[in-house]
Amino acid sequence: MEKPAAGTPPGDDGAGTASAASLIDAKIAALADWRGKTLAAVRALIHAADPDVVEEVKWRGVPVWSHAGMICTGETYKLAVKLTFAKGAALPDPAGLFNASLDGNTRRAIDLHEGAHLDAAAFKALIRAAVAANTAPKPKRTNT
């Protein structure tokens, strides 16, 4: 989904239908426990790190944040909020935020459990690194 036009009321995509932002708002509200608060906090950090981020909802209601390609998803489970980065294996993670899906060749995830502390500065740096990876010029193929 695209961002609504300037001046469009929140929750309205300009065509009178619910926007991804309003669907994510509803998901957060429905999670009336630590998971909703955690997802809301993570969402705010993502927007702070990349004001041009695009919110989408895919796969039966999973929030997805994109900028020139997918940045990460925000899945909620009974015991964790899982933030899966599409290109996580290629991103620098000096603070060691990635703590799940470490064996894959492409993705990496951050599992946040109740009471977990997320280093906001390190997380925002990770978001910016993901955006940079998505917007970097692609190497040209050469025929040999």
Side-chain angles (χ1 to χ4, degrees):
M1 288 186 148
E2 298 284 327
K3 281 188 170 181
T8 302
D12 187 332
D13 66 3
T17 58
S19 69
S22 67
L23 293 172
I24 295 170
D25 288 342
K27 181 172 188 78
I28 289 168
L31 294 166
D33 60 10
W34 67 270
R35 296 172 302 158
K37 292 175 185 170
T38 300
L39 190 58
V42 165
R43 182 188 196 194
L45 291 173
I46 292 169
H47 280 276
D50 180 18
D52 294 324
V53 72
V54 175
E55 293 188 320
E56 302 170 283
V57 176
K58 298 183 179 186
W59 311 296
R60 295 186 182 185
V62 174
V64 177
W65 291 276
S66 301
H67 183 142
M70 187 184 302
I71 297 170
C72 70
T73 64
E75 299 164 272
T76 53
Y77 299 98
K78 185 176 182 178
L79 298 177
V81 172
K82 180 183 272 303
L83 307 168
T84 303
F85 283 71
K87 297 179 182 176
L91 301 178
D93 181 23
L97 295 180
F98 290 129
N99 60 7
S101 305
L102 301 176
D103 295 333
N105 292 331
T106 306
R107 293 178 186 84
R108 293 286 183 272
I110 301 169
D111 283 359
L112 298 171
H113 301 278
E114 188 171 6
H117 169 74
L118 179 63
D119 180 330
F123 183 72
K124 290 192 288 187
L126 201 55
I127 294 295
R128 290 183 193 110
V131 171
N134 286 349
T135 57
K138 307 293 184 242
K140 293 185 179 184
R141 289 187 174 179
T142 58
N143 293 332
T144 55

